[in-house]
C-alpha cells in the first residue's frame, strides 16, 4: 500500500498550526497555570554542568580584571573602532567565554552553594551549552576541532578532531581569523521545574546567550553574525548532538544555532577585504563539508544530569520537532568596512562616557534582582537611553546596525509594552516602544482603536516611544505578572510583544523559537543597561498571557506577549554570602 504524499505547503501549514497549539496550550491563565509537576523533585534536580567523560580538557587562564586583555569602557563597545581589536589567543578566548558564559559568582546559604553566570537563565537552571569550532591558529596550542565550553572549570573540552584543511574550507567564506560558535539546549533542565512551558524558557536563554556572546566579542573588537540560514540537521551534525552513541542514557541536547566570530581588525584591512570576491558573506555553512568533518575522531561521553525523570513532557518534543529548521536558506550579508556603528550622540555625551564603568565591570556585576524597594526612580533621560539601546535601526543592513543588533539577521518582530511607575519626567501609565517604525500601523490595528498614541513628553526625535494610557499601573503590572510584586515595585516593567501569527505564516514554524531568541537578546541588552544606570533588572517568564493582551485590546494571535521584564532599585538578601566565581579552582595565569 502506497503512503499518500502530503504537499509541502500543507505540511508547512501543519507545522505552523502545531507550534501555535503549543503556544496556546502553554499559556498561563488566572484560573490555571500551564502544566508542570507542581512541586520540585529535589532528588532529581539536574546537574547544571555538562561534561564529556574522556574528552581532553584544556584549562583557560583565570584572568584578573586588570590583566590583558583589559576590558574597554562600557560605552566604547557600542562605538565604531573604540574597542581595540585583539588577536585570537588563549587569553582572548578566556576573556570571551568569561564575559559570555562563565561563572560570575557563587551564592551560599548555610551548607548550600549555587553558581551564577554571565548569561542569565530562567530559574538559574542554565539549559544552554556552548561550543566552538576552532581552526589552526598561530600561537594557539589547540588542535583544529570542536570544543565544548565547561563553565565550572573554565575550560574547553575537545569533542572532535577535525582535518585542518576541512576546517579551512568550512571557514573560507568568512573573514580571516574567523571561528564558529554554537549553542544547544538541554530541555530537561528547564522542564524539571517548569513543565510544558520550558520550551519557551530554553529559547529565552538562547537569546540571552546570543546577546552575552555578541557583547563579549565586542569587548575584544570582534564581530559576530548568526549563521541562521543553516538547516538544523547540519547544526546537529557539526555540534555532535546527533551522536546517540555519545549521549547514551544522558539527557540529549537540542541543536539551536551557529554563529561566526572574527576579529574586526582595522578599517584599512576591512576595506582591502571588500575589494575581493568575499564582500558578500554567507549566513550558512556548507553541509557537505560538515559531513566530512563529522567523519573525524570524536571524544567523550555526556554525563547524566538526573538519576530519574519522573515526567517526560511530550509536548516539548513536539514543539521542538515542529519548529525544526528543515532547509538551508542561502542568504548572504554585505560586509561593511566596519561592523560597529558610529557613536550615538543622541543620548551619550563625552562626560557620561567618561564616568560610566568598564564593560567587564558591568558584565561581572550583572545579577537578576529578586526584589525591588518600591521607591527607586530613574530619570526620563535614563529610560530614553535604554530604549535607544533597544532600537535595532532596522532600516540598515544587518552588519551595519548598532551592536549587538548586528548579530541579528532579521527585521525586529518584538516591541515593548511599558508600565511606567517611577520615571522622573514621565507621568505613570502605559507606554509602547515600536522597535521598527514601519510596523506602527499594523500594531495600532491589532490593538484597541481607542488608545491614544502620543509621543512621550521629552522623547528624543526618532525614538518611537508612545504614551497610551495615564494612571497608576503598579498593581496591574504585578497582577498580570503572576501576582509578583517585583513587576510593580520597580521603576518600570514591560511585556515584550511579538508580531506572532503573521510572522509564522509568512516565515514558517521554525521562526517560533527565534521570537524568543530576539526577546532574550533584547533582555540581555536591558540587563546591562540597568546595571550601567545604577539599578538592576530581572526577566519574568511567568505572566498571564491573555490578561496581558486584554490591557491593550489584543484579541487575536496577531500580537502575543512572550517575555516580561522589570527594572528598579534592588533589595539585597543579606542572608546570602557571595563567593568569587572560581574560588573552587586554583588560580591559573596565561
Amino acid at each position: 500500500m502506497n503512503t499518500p504524499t502530503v504537499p509541502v505547503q500543507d505540511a508547512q501549514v501543519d507545522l505552523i498550526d502545531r507550534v501555535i497549539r503549543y503556544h496556546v496550550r502553554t499559556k498561563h491563565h488566572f484560573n490555571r497555570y500551564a502544566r508542570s509537576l507542581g512541586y520540585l523533585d529535589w532528588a532529581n534536580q539536574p546537574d547544571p554542568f555538562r561534561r564529556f567523560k574522556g574528552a581532553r580538557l584544556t584549562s583557560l587562564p583565570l584572568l584578573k580584571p586588570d590583566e590583558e586583555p583589559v576590558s574597554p569602557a562600557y560605552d566604547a563597545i557600542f562605538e565604531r573602532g573604540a574597542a581595540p581589536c585583539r588577536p585570537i589567543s588563549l587569553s582572548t578566548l578566556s576573556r570571551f567565554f568569561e564575559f559570555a558564559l562563565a561563572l560570575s559568582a557563587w551564592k551560599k546559604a548555610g551548607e548550600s552553594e549555587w553558581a551564577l553566570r554571565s548569561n542569565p537563565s530562567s530559574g538559574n537552571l542554565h539549559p544552554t551549552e556552548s561550543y566552538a569550532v576552532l581552526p589552526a591558529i598561530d600561537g594557539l596550542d589547540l588542535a583544529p576541532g570542536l570544543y565544548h565550553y565547561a563553565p565550572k572549570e573554565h575550560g574547553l573540552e575537545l569533542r572532535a578532531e577535525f582535518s585542518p584543511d576541512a576546517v579551512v574550507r568550512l571557514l573560507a567564506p568568512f573573514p580571516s581569523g574567523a571561528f564558529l560558535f554554537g549553542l544547544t539546549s538541554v530541555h530537561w533542565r528547564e522542564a524539571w521545574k517548569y513543565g510544558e512551558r520550558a520550551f519557551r524558557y530554553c529559547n529565552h536563554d538562547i537569546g540571552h546567550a546570543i546577546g552575552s556572546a555578541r557583547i563579549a566579542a565586542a569587548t575584544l573588537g570582534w564581530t559576530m553574525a548568526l549563521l541562521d540560514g543553516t538547516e538544523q540537521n547540519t547544526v546537529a551534525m557539526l555540534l555532535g548532538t546527533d551522536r546517540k552513541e555519545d549521549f547514551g542514557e544522558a539527557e540529549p541536547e537540542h541543536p539551536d544555532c551557529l554563529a561566526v566570530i572574527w576579529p574586526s581588525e582595522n578599517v584599512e584591512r576591512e576595506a582591502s577585504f571588500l575589494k575581493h570576491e568575499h564582500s558578500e558573506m554567507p549566513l550558512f555553512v556548507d553541509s557537505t563539508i560538515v559531513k566530512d568533518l563529522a567523519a573525524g575522531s570524536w571524544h567523550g561521553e555526556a554525563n547524566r544530569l538526573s538519576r530519574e525523570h519522573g515526567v517526560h513532557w511530550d509536548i516539548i518534543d513536539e514543539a521542538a520537532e515542529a519548529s525544526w529548521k528543515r532547509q538551508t536558506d542561502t542568504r548572504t550579508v554585505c560586509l561593511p568596512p566596519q561592523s560597529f556603528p558610529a557613536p550615538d550622540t543622541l543620548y551619550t555625551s563625552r562626560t557620561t562616557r567618561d564616568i560610566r564603568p568598564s564593560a567587564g565591570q558591568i558584565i561581572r556585576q550583572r545579577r537578576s534582582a529578586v526584589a525591588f524597594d518600591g521607591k527607586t526612580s530613574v530619570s526620563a533621560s535614563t529610560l530614553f537611553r535604554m530604549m535607544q539601546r533597544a532600537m535595532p535601526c532596522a532600516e540598515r543592513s544587518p552588519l551595519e546596525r548598532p551592536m549587538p543588533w548586528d548579530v541579528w539577521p532579521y527585521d525586529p518582530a518584538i516591541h515593548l509594552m511599558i508600565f511606567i511607575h517611577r520615571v522622573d519626567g514621565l507621568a505613570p501609565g502605559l507606554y509602547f516602544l515600536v522597535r521598527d517604525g514601519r510596523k506602527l500601523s499594523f500594531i495600532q490595528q491589532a490593538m484597541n482603536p481607542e488608545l491614544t498614541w502620543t509621543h512621550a513628553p521629552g522623547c528624543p526625535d526618532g525614538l518611537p516611544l508612545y504614551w497610551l494610557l495615564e494612571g497608576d499601573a503598579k498593581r496591574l503590572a504585578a497582577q498580570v505578572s503572576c501576582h509578583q510584586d517585583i513587576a510593580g515595585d520597580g521603576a518600570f516593567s514591560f511585556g515584550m510583544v511579538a508580531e506572532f501569527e503573521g510572522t509564522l505564516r509568512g516565515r514558517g514554524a521554525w521562526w517560533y523559537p527565534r521570537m524568543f531568541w530576539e526577546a532574550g537578546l533584547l533582555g540581555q541588552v536591558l540587563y546591562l543597561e540597568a546595571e550601567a544606570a545604577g539599578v538592576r533588572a530581572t526577566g519574568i517568564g511567568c505572566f498571564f498571557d491573555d490578561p496581558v493582551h486584554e490591557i491593550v485590546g489584543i484579541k487575536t494571535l496577531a500580537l502575543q506577549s512572550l517575555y516580561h521584564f522589570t527594572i528598579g532599585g534592588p533589595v539585597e538578601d543579606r542572608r546570602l554570602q557571595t563567593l568569587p566565581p572560581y574560588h573552587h579552582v586554583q588560580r591559573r595565569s596565561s
Side-chain angles (χ1 to χ4, degrees):
M1 179 178 178
N2 294 328
T3 302
T5 302
V6 179
V8 172
Q9 185 175 4
D10 292 346
Q12 290 175 345
V13 169
D14 177 63
L15 295 174
I16 295 166
D17 289 340
R18 285 164 60 188
V19 298
I20 290 176
R21 282 197 298 271
Y22 168 81
H23 184 77
V24 172
R25 175 169 162 172
T26 57
K27 288 183 176 183
H28 287 324
H29 302 272
F30 281 140
N31 61 340
R32 68 169 176 84
Y33 287 83
R35 291 180 63 210
S36 65
L37 197 58
Y39 63 91
L40 295 179
D41 179 13
W42 292 111
N44 291 299
Q45 182 181 13
D47 186 338
F49 301 111
R50 167 136 282 171
R51 290 295 308 274
F52 287 90
K53 182 180 179 181
R56 184 174 72 249
L57 177 73
T58 298
S59 296
L60 295 170
L62 295 173
L63 303 171
K64 292 181 179 180
D66 59 355
E67 288 185 86
E68 290 292 341
V70 176
S71 173
Y74 173 69
D75 286 309
I77 65 176
F78 299 95
E79 299 180 12
R80 177 182 289 127
C85 183
R86 309 284 189 165
I88 296 175
S89 66
L90 212 58
S91 291
T92 53
L93 284 175
S94 175
R95 197 67 92 189
F96 168 76
F97 280 106
E98 176 196 352
F99 289 166
L101 297 149
L103 308 188
S104 57
W106 286 83
K107 292 292 184 178
K108 184 174 183 179
E111 298 301 315
S112 299
E113 286 187 17
W114 60 95
L116 308 181
R117 305 195 197 184
S118 297
N119 57 311
S121 171
S122 178
N124 200 37
L125 296 171
H126 293 285
T128 308
E129 298 291 332
S130 65
Y131 295 83
V133 176
L134 299 176
I137 299 174
D138 290 341
L140 187 65
D141 191 22
L142 291 173
L146 173 71
Y147 291 84
H148 169 252
Y149 176 61
K152 187 176 183 181
E153 295 77 14
H154 192 50
L156 296 173
E157 293 182 299
L158 179 60
R159 280 285 287 130
E161 298 174 63
F162 291 158
S163 160
D165 291 342
V167 177
V168 168
R169 287 190 287 118
L170 182 71
L171 297 176
F174 307 110
S176 59
F179 66 94
L180 300 186
F181 176 74
L183 296 170
T184 68
S185 296
V186 181
H187 293 154
W188 165 245
R189 282 201 182 115
E190 291 287 326
W192 168 78
K193 181 176 183 180
Y194 296 114
E196 291 185 341
R197 203 167 163 101
F199 187 66
R200 297 179 177 216
Y201 299 161
C202 286
N203 284 295
H204 282 154
D205 280 12
I206 289 294
H208 278 292
I210 292 170
S212 66
R214 176 62 191 101
I215 292 165
T219 69
L220 296 161
W222 298 351
T223 305
M224 175 174 164
L226 200 62
L227 300 179
D228 207 36
T230 309
E231 58 96 14
Q232 218 155 343
N233 285 327
T234 300
V235 179
M237 193 184 313
L238 183 60
L239 302 183
T241 62
D242 63 346
R243 293 180 56 80
K244 294 181 180 179
E245 63 269 38
D246 292 350
F247 284 86
E249 297 298 316
E251 295 80 359
E253 295 179 25
H254 181 78
D256 290 296
C257 60
L258 288 176
V260 60
I261 299 173
W262 70 94
S264 301
E265 299 297 347
N266 53 44
V267 177
E268 290 76 18
R269 179 165 180 175
E270 290 289 333
S272 175
F273 182 83
L274 281 170
K275 293 176 182 177
H276 296 86
E277 67 272 15
H278 296 305
S279 59
E280 291 287 329
M281 186 183 80
L283 292 179
F284 61 94
V285 296
D286 189 323
S287 60
T288 303
I289 300 174
V290 170
K291 288 179 182 178
D292 292 342
L293 291 170
S297 300
W298 288 78
H299 308 285
E301 295 181 359
N303 62 326
R304 188 176 173 94
L305 306 178
S306 294
R307 290 181 299 173
E308 296 179 4
H309 298 172
V311 176
H312 183 80
W313 304 98
D314 292 333
I315 192 172
I316 294 176
D317 296 339
E318 293 168 10
E321 194 276 333
S323 59
W324 191 269
K325 194 173 192 301
R326 288 168 167 77
Q327 62 183 29
T328 295
D329 301 325
T330 55
R331 297 182 58 199
T332 62
V333 66
C334 185
L335 280 165
Q338 283 185 300
S339 295
F340 292 108
D344 196 334
T345 56
L346 185 62
Y347 62 91
T348 304
S349 68
R350 173 59 60 184
T351 301
T352 58
R353 283 203 303 272
D354 288 343
I355 64 174
R356 280 158 77 85
S358 73
Q361 179 182 335
I362 294 297
I363 292 167
R364 293 185 188 98
Q365 75 181 44
R366 186 216 60 81
R367 303 284 187 270
S368 294
V370 295
F372 289 140
D373 59 18
K375 298 182 294 184
T376 298
S377 64
V378 300
S379 66
S381 61
T382 296
L383 174 71
F384 296 151
R385 183 177 62 241
M386 291 181 181
M387 296 302 99
Q388 286 285 353
R389 291 281 196 235
M391 292 298 292
C393 299
E395 69 280 0
R396 303 180 191 174
S397 61
L399 288 181
E400 293 179 328
R401 294 173 183 171
M403 197 289 298
W405 301 109
D406 53 352
V407 78
W408 191 246
Y410 305 107
D411 289 341
I414 302 291
H415 310 277
L416 298 182
M417 183 170 70
I418 311 171
F419 301 90
I420 298 292
H421 306 317
R422 300 174 189 84
V423 176
D424 299 334
L426 291 178
L430 186 67
Y431 294 71
F432 202 95
L433 180 72
V434 181
R435 295 182 59 245
D436 184 346
R438 299 169 295 185
K439 310 290 183 62
L440 176 60
S441 178
F442 165 77
I443 292 169
Q444 290 174 324
Q445 292 173 17
M447 293 165 58
N448 186 340
E450 297 182 2
L451 293 171
T452 301
W453 292 75
T454 305
H455 278 285
C459 183
D461 293 340
L463 181 63
L465 178 63
Y466 298 91
W467 187 13
L468 305 187
L469 296 169
E470 183 176 4
D472 188 339
K474 293 191 291 292
R475 184 176 178 182
L476 177 61
Q479 182 184 43
V480 297
S481 293
C482 294
H483 305 292
Q484 297 178 84
D485 290 339
I486 197 168
D489 287 343
F492 60 95
S493 66
F494 44 87
M496 300 187 188
V497 179
E499 302 166 31
F500 191 75
E501 185 171 20
T503 301
L504 293 175
R505 300 290 179 195
R507 289 175 167 170
W510 62 273
W511 231 84
Y512 181 66
R514 283 148 184 84
M515 296 181 187
F516 292 93
W517 297 1
E518 184 181 343
L521 174 55
L522 179 55
Q524 190 64 17
V525 170
L526 294 170
Y527 258 124
L528 299 185
E529 279 296 298
E531 296 289 342
V535 287
R536 185 146 286 173
T538 194
I540 300 176
C542 186
F543 53 87
F544 298 116
D545 300 59
D546 290 336
V548 173
H549 304 146
E550 291 170 7
I551 294 170
V552 289
I554 296 171
K555 297 181 179 179
T556 70
L557 292 171
L559 297 175
Q560 292 285 283
S561 185
L562 300 188
Y563 195 17
H564 281 211
F565 217 79
T566 183
I567 293 175
V571 176
E572 303 293 344
D573 189 341
R574 300 191 182 279
R575 297 170 299 175
L576 302 182
Q577 181 182 358
T578 301
L579 303 174
Y582 289 96
H583 72 97
H584 60 290
V585 179
Q586 185 176 1
R587 174 170 154 70
R588 305 182 296 259
S589 60
S590 56

